[in-house]
Structure formats: structure tokens, C-alpha cells
């Protein structure tokens, strides 16, 4: 059931193997969220900016994990930390010589209006 959206700087093309990341991300999310569903992931490369100064060209990756409501906040926080660690493993290090890399994760509850077609049977 988890819905995953990964927005990332298009300048990461070639440095970010999204397929390899997703291959490890899906089982991680299923295990740590306790879901019995199947992950659905949307990847969105985008033009990104961080701040207004010389570092505005920094690269940025944000992962949004949408889950059915009911999980405690500490479980969602642990999942966020695990996803951040996995994401860092799949991206180049920020060594000061290249563009800075900013990573973020949000684990959130899906709204009560959420519906899925086809529904799982």
C-alpha cells in the first residue's frame, strides 16, 4: 500500500541510480512500516535550487512516504531515518568540491479521502 514519491535534482542523472535505490527501498518500507501492501513509486527528476546564493545550484532529493493512518510517530521517524541512510548510500558524498547534496524524507499518513483502483483483493 505505501505510496512513495521521489523528487530529485535532474543534475543527479548518471550519479543517482534510482532503479537500484527503489529496489532496496521497497522491502525496507514494507518491513519497517509493517504493511502487507505493495509499494508504488513515482520518480520525478526536477530542476532544483537551494537558497539564493552561490550554492543555489546544490542538488536536492526528497522522499515522501504515504502510509495508511495509524502508525505511531516514533515508528514513522525510524522509517525516515532508515530511508535517509539508504538514500545517502546511493548518492555521491558531499566532499566540498562538488555541488552540495541535501536529502530529506517525510513519512506521512494518507488522507481519509485516499482511494486506490484497482483495489487489492
Amino acid at each position: 500500500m505505501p505510496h512513495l514519491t521521489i523528487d530529485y535534482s535532474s543534475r543527479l542523472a548518471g550519479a543517482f541510480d534510482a532503479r537500484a535505490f527503489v529496489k532496496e527501498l521497497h522491502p525496507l518500507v514494507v518491513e519497517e512500516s509493517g504493511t502487507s501492501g505493495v509499494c508504488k513509486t513515482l520518480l520525478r527528476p526536477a530542476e532544483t535550487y537551494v537558497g539564493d546564493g552561490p550554492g543555489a545550484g546544490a542538488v536536492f532529493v526528497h522522499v515522501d512516504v504515504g502510509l495508511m493512518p495509524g502508525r505511531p510517530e516514533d515508528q514513522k521517524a525510524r522509517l525516515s531515518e532508515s530511508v535517509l541512510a539508504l538514500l545517502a548510500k546511493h548518492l555521491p558524498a558531499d566532499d566540498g568540491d562538488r555541488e552540495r547534496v541535501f536529502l530529506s524524507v517525510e513519512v506521512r499518513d494518507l488522507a481519509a479521502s485516499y482511494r486506490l483502483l484497482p483495489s487489492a483483493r
Side-chain angles (χ1 to χ4, degrees):
M1 132 39 33
H3 281 260
L4 310 170
T5 304
I6 304 167
D7 294 299
Y8 63 95
S9 299
S10 54
R11 290 188 308 272
L12 283 173
F16 176 45
D17 184 348
R19 203 175 265 254
F21 174 63
V22 168
K23 186 176 181 177
E24 290 186 59
L25 179 64
H26 282 188
L28 173 86
V29 170
V30 167
E31 180 181 330
E32 292 201 16
S33 70
T35 186
S36 59
V38 176
C39 293
K40 292 157 260 343
T41 300
L42 176 65
L43 294 163
R44 297 188 294 206
E47 187 171 336
T48 58
Y49 301 88
V50 177
D52 297 326
V59 295
F60 180 70
V61 182
H62 176 74
V63 179
D64 179 80
V65 180
L67 301 170
M68 294 301 285
R71 288 162 183 85
E73 289 301 315
D74 61 327
Q75 182 182 22
K76 292 189 279 189
R78 283 191 307 274
L79 177 56
S80 290
E81 292 293 332
S82 294
V83 172
L84 273 175
L86 179 63
L87 186 56
K89 182 177 117 177
H90 284 271
L91 289 168
D94 177 4
D95 63 8
D97 294 332
R98 292 177 277 188
E99 294 177 300
R100 295 197 59 198
V101 178
F102 293 89
L103 310 177
S104 65
V105 176
E106 179 183 7
V107 177
R108 62 177 177 79
D109 292 341
L110 293 168
S113 62
Y114 168 80
R115 300 293 184 272
L116 175 64
L117 271 177
S119 59
R121 297 186 193 258

